[in-house]
Amino acid sequence: MRQAVEWDLIERVRCVIRLLPIPKPSAQFHDFESFERLVEAAGYLDRQALLLVLLGGEGGLRCGEMMALEWQDVDLEKRQVCVHRSEWKGHVTTTKGGRIRYVPLTARLTTTLKLHRHLQSTRVLVQADGTPLTQKIVQNHLRRAARRAGVRPGVH
């Protein structure tokens, strides 16, 4: 309505419209036992699925942050990742919070990144032909791992 006033389509807003506050849902997490089953199942499937599970579970990266992660952001010597970009529908942007953050790497995540190292692309996670992963591919990897582990998929 305010936009219509601004565009001179109407003279003024004749009523007050207030939106009701909607509480944000709280994130759910796997317990340690479920997460270890998920890690084991992902490792059985393939190294990429394992890396996705570890980046999300141990590194705390969101899907878009994983997809946009580049090798230049990974410091295996310092055992940390610089997270400062995200991908959404093929467009690389800033992260959801808009800030750079440095994520420490666990020993297991560091080892998995070393084993995953490739020269196909500047991106860490790519398909076999070197093209970046899509959100759908990431979700399929995680869904398959969750099904194999017997845990609920989509738990954040």
Side-chain angles (χ1 to χ4, degrees):
M1 298 295 277
R2 283 179 273 170
Q3 191 67 50
V5 172
E6 190 176 311
W7 291 344
D8 291 326
L9 296 174
I10 59 175
E11 190 175 310
R12 66 182 176 87
V13 178
R14 299 186 193 287
C15 61
V16 176
I17 301 172
R18 290 195 179 99
L19 299 176
L20 296 174
I22 300 173
K24 292 183 179 180
S26 62
Q28 296 178 346
F29 298 90
H30 290 295
D31 60 30
F32 292 113
E33 183 183 319
S34 297
F35 179 68
E36 288 306 319
R37 286 198 325 263
L38 185 60
V39 169
E40 185 179 330
Y44 180 83
L45 292 172
D46 61 61
R47 193 172 27 208
Q48 185 134 277
L50 175 60
L51 185 54
L52 287 165
V53 167
L54 292 176
L55 283 170
E58 292 183 355
L61 274 70
R62 296 177 177 94
C63 181
E65 294 169 344
M66 289 186 241
M67 292 164 43
L69 188 64
E70 295 187 1
W71 285 114
Q72 67 185 11
D73 304 326
V74 178
D75 189 335
L76 295 172
E77 295 302 313
K78 288 184 181 178
R79 287 182 45 185
Q80 72 178 12
V81 171
C82 177
V83 182
H84 60 99
R85 67 176 76 83
S86 182
E87 182 175 324
W88 176 249
K89 296 189 177 185
H91 300 285
V92 177
T93 62
T94 62
T95 60
K96 185 176 179 182
R99 295 186 204 158
I100 294 174
R101 70 182 193 278
Y102 292 90
V103 176
L105 299 175
T106 62
R108 178 165 59 178
L109 183 48
T110 302
T111 301
T112 305
L113 278 163
K114 285 179 182 177
L115 292 172
H116 188 76
R117 185 85 172 147
H118 61 77
L119 300 174
Q120 294 176 299
S121 170
T122 58
R123 296 268 182 104
V124 173
L125 296 162
V126 294
Q127 298 179 60
D129 63 359
T131 58
L133 294 186
T134 64
Q135 184 178 3
K136 187 174 184 175
I137 292 170
V138 171
Q139 290 170 340
N140 284 339
H141 275 298
L142 297 176
R143 196 174 294 117
R144 284 178 42 230
R147 187 171 39 247
R148 181 169 187 83
V151 298
R152 279 188 355 192
V155 175
H156 306 358

